[in-house]
Amino acid sequence: YKRQVTPAPAPSSPPGPPPIKQITSGIKYIEAPRVSYPAASKRMGEEGVVQFRVLVNTNGKAEKVDIVKGSGFSRLDDEARRAVMRAVFQPYIEDGKPIMVSATGAINFKLDH
């Protein structure tokens, strides 16, 4: 006589973190990104716009910065990423509580001619 063993149902996975809210406006800086124009880029006449996406945590700090569209110059792209990582944002408030959000922005590197 064989007993039929039914496998126990798999435990349901715990709910993951809520999806990150994408915001297109409403991001405010407490301390805006301060960009240092790379000296080599100045000498080479490199200019461009760096478009980025930033993940802002509930304390208003950048957790992650992705370059969405680079300037065409890695020095400028790297400096934009560093500047945004150092910036301080106003936490995004929803229902009276700060939440983590993802927002986009751009930094324009332009030399005075």
Side-chain angles (χ1 to χ4, degrees):
Y1 170 75
K2 280 191 167 172
R3 241 177 75 196
Q4 195 74 22
V5 178
T6 54
S12 64
S13 58
I20 302 294
K21 183 180 180 88
Q22 302 280 329
I23 60 173
T24 53
S25 64
I27 192 106
K28 293 184 180 76
Y29 294 111
I30 292 173
E31 206 174 295
R34 283 200 301 270
V35 181
S36 302
Y37 218 113
S41 295
K42 276 185 185 173
R43 280 196 307 277
M44 309 278 284
E46 296 172 350
E47 295 183 329
V49 177
V50 180
Q51 295 177 3
F52 61 88
R53 173 174 286 112
V54 60
L55 188 61
V56 179
N57 69 19
T58 55
N59 296 322
K61 298 280 190 197
E63 293 240 328
K64 183 173 160 215
V65 178
D66 292 317
I67 302 301
V68 175
K69 184 170 185 286
S71 62
F73 302 102
S74 60
R75 274 186 291 264
L76 299 182
D77 297 351
D78 291 345
E79 177 54 30
R81 181 182 286 113
R82 273 195 299 273
V84 175
M85 283 300 292
R86 288 191 305 256
V88 181
F89 301 85
Q90 193 170 317
Y92 190 85
I93 306 295
E94 189 171 89
D95 297 330
K97 294 195 297 283
I99 62 167
M100 190 175 274
V101 292
S102 175
T104 55
I107 292 181
N108 190 359
F109 287 90
K110 185 136 182 59
L111 292 165
D112 301 326
H113 293 289

